[in-house]
Amino acid sequence: YQTIQRKRIPTNQDYGYNSILDSIKNLILELTHDSDEKFSIGICTPGALSLNSGLIKNSNTQCLIGKDLQNDLQNILDHDVSIENDANCFALSEAIDGSGKHYKIVYGIILGSGAGGGLVIDKKIVSGPNGVAGEWGHNQLPYLAARKEKFDSNILRDAEIESFISGHGLAKKFNKKYKKNFSIN
């Protein structure tokens, strides 16, 4: 495959779900406007599609949670749309033509605003029952690590590994320790 054109636009969650739909629609229309070529649409999204409902779950782009992103985009664009977890897509890309292309099993780790991963075996995504079999950032901190961090929250997400090693987690920890307002955005 050859990349013909790339364009990246910022996602502004503050404008909400409809703004994200409009941004995706406008971007696709712009990129396909002058072409008669057939094309496919694939969306890599944080979180995953629920196998039961088809709705987005566990997304750090919270306005997507509980939304039928795939069907909404298909209706807006009048075109088939494939959706998959972003870490799964990253791992698949590495398994097909990246640093893992010579290996049977590829586990891709993402560490950025969040912490996640994707698992690929024989060039196929292993989704598992929740769509994110390679996910590791939402595991709970081991007891001794939580104790060392003087963990005192009743919110389970605060005790996840991601809350301590992701960009957002490190910024939060820095702000608490140094009474600053550091942000990764």
Side-chain angles (χ1 to χ4, degrees):
Y1 297 98
Q2 179 183 1
T3 301
I4 297 169
Q5 184 177 4
R6 274 182 200 246
K7 183 168 184 178
R8 184 176 178 145
I9 58 172
T11 301
N12 190 336
Q13 294 185 59
D14 296 335
Y15 297 135
Y17 181 67
N18 288 329
S19 175
I20 290 174
L21 291 176
D22 286 342
S23 294
I24 293 170
K25 176 187 79 170
N26 292 336
L27 183 59
I28 290 170
L29 291 176
E30 179 182 333
L31 293 173
T32 60
H33 181 266
D34 295 326
S35 176
D36 292 331
E37 299 286 325
K38 285 188 172 186
F39 61 92
S40 59
I41 300 171
I43 305 287
C44 305
T45 182
L49 291 178
S50 167
L51 298 178
N52 294 329
S53 67
L55 305 179
I56 298 284
K57 63 179 186 169
N58 301 331
S59 177
N60 66 348
T61 305
Q62 295 196 1
C63 65
L64 296 178
I65 296 174
K67 302 295 185 184
D68 194 352
L69 182 62
Q70 186 171 26
N71 282 324
D72 290 344
L73 285 172
Q74 288 178 161
N75 290 333
I76 289 169
L77 298 166
D78 194 29
H79 199 287
D80 287 340
V81 175
S82 296
I83 293 183
E84 181 58 69
N85 171 267
D86 54 357
N88 288 345
C89 291
F90 158 67
L92 180 62
S93 175
E94 289 299 317
I96 290 174
D97 62 6
S99 60
K101 66 183 175 187
H102 301 294
Y103 299 95
K104 177 181 171 89
I105 300 172
V106 174
Y107 181 66
I109 294 175
I110 294 177
L111 187 58
S113 58
L119 177 62
V120 174
I121 299 176
D122 292 328
K123 313 285 188 246
K124 293 183 181 91
I125 293 171
V126 178
S127 294
N130 294 309
V132 286
E135 183 62 59
W136 63 281
H138 295 296
N139 291 320
Q140 298 296 301
L141 279 175
Y143 171 76
L144 293 176
R147 190 169 158 199
K148 180 180 176 189
E149 292 293 330
K150 297 183 174 86
F151 178 73
D152 61 356
S153 175
N154 290 326
I155 302 169
L156 288 178
R157 282 234 35 180
D158 288 347
E160 293 175 349
I161 291 170
E162 179 176 271
S163 296
F164 289 86
I165 64 171
S166 68
H168 287 298
L170 290 172
K172 186 176 176 181
K173 190 173 180 180
F174 177 89
N175 293 341
K176 183 177 179 182
K177 182 173 183 173
Y178 295 105
K179 311 280 191 266
K180 301 265 186 184
N181 191 17
F182 178 80
S183 173
I184 65 165
N185 295 334

